[in-house]
Amino acid sequence: MSSEELLRSFSWICRIAAALFLAWLLLSRVASAEPTPGTGVVPTAADRAEAREVYESTCVTCHGANGAGDGLGAAGLPTKPANFTDAAWQKTVSDDEIARAIVGGGAVVRRSPLMPANPALASKPGVVAALREMVRGFAKPQS
Ligand code: HEC
């Protein structure tokens, strides 16, 4: 390979790398511009009722009836579900992160992928907001 050929292939490699970088930049911008379902949404009474049903049929298995992370399914998990009743834990997560974890699963917020995604909720921001209220509500003293 002559030095000219070498230079030409190097320049192509650079161009491809630059194109890939631009594509990545563009895609990550698009992804981060996507609004989180349920942020700034006030749930209706129907949303709250649906959220309770979703919690009792799905989330309760791992997170437990009182959100303490002691559902029957939690025992076998290597990463335990968060304890929602722990005020210290509540401070570590933003509302946005809770909503994204509920819809996209643990992996999208760099937590355990054992927290499953709920893609069906992506089109139900009110229900996501109501589930987030429930998650936050578990921390309040139960009377
Ligand atoms: C198969 C068990 C399982 C089910 C079902 C489940 N979760 Fe989780 N969830 C987890 C685990 C495990 C974690 C802890 C992830 C970690 O900390 O790495 C978690 C974490 C979370 C978190 C905290 C995320 C964070 O950023 O720390 C929220 C909020 C949450 N779950 C809400 C829900 C809701 C609402 C449902 C029902 C729609 C649900 N989960 C269903 C296992 C589950």
Side-chain angles (χ1 to χ4, degrees), residues 124-137:
K124 295 179 176 175
V127 179
V128 174
L131 279 167
R132 191 187 52 220
E133 268 184 4
M134 286 185 71
V135 168
R136 291 294 194 203

Side-chain angles (χ1 to χ4, degrees), residues 10-121:
F10 179 69
S11 115
W12 268 109
I13 290 169
C14 287
R15 268 180 245 184
I16 291 166
L20 283 175
F21 176 70
L22 281 177
W24 170 80
L25 206 68
L26 209 71
L27 281 176
S28 57
R29 282 279 166 94
V30 171
S32 66
E34 212 170 274
T36 306
T39 29
V41 174
V42 179
T44 63
D47 289 333
R48 290 201 176 101
E50 192 173 339
R52 263 195 306 277
E53 265 170 40
V54 170
Y55 192 89
E56 273 153 29
S57 65
T58 315
C59 324
V60 77
T61 325
C62 297
H63 290 283
N66 296 313
D70 56 356
L72 285 178
L77 297 177
T79 305
K80 299 297 171 215
N83 178 0
F84 300 150
T85 67
D86 179 3
W89 175 82
Q90 290 282 349
K91 286 199 195 113
T92 66
V93 283
S94 65
D95 283 356
D96 183 72
E97 179 175 335
I98 292 176
R100 282 191 296 136
I102 291 172
V103 178
V108 299
V109 290
R110 303 214 174 111
R111 306 273 179 163
S112 170
L114 294 170
M115 163 64 209
N118 297 280
L121 293 178

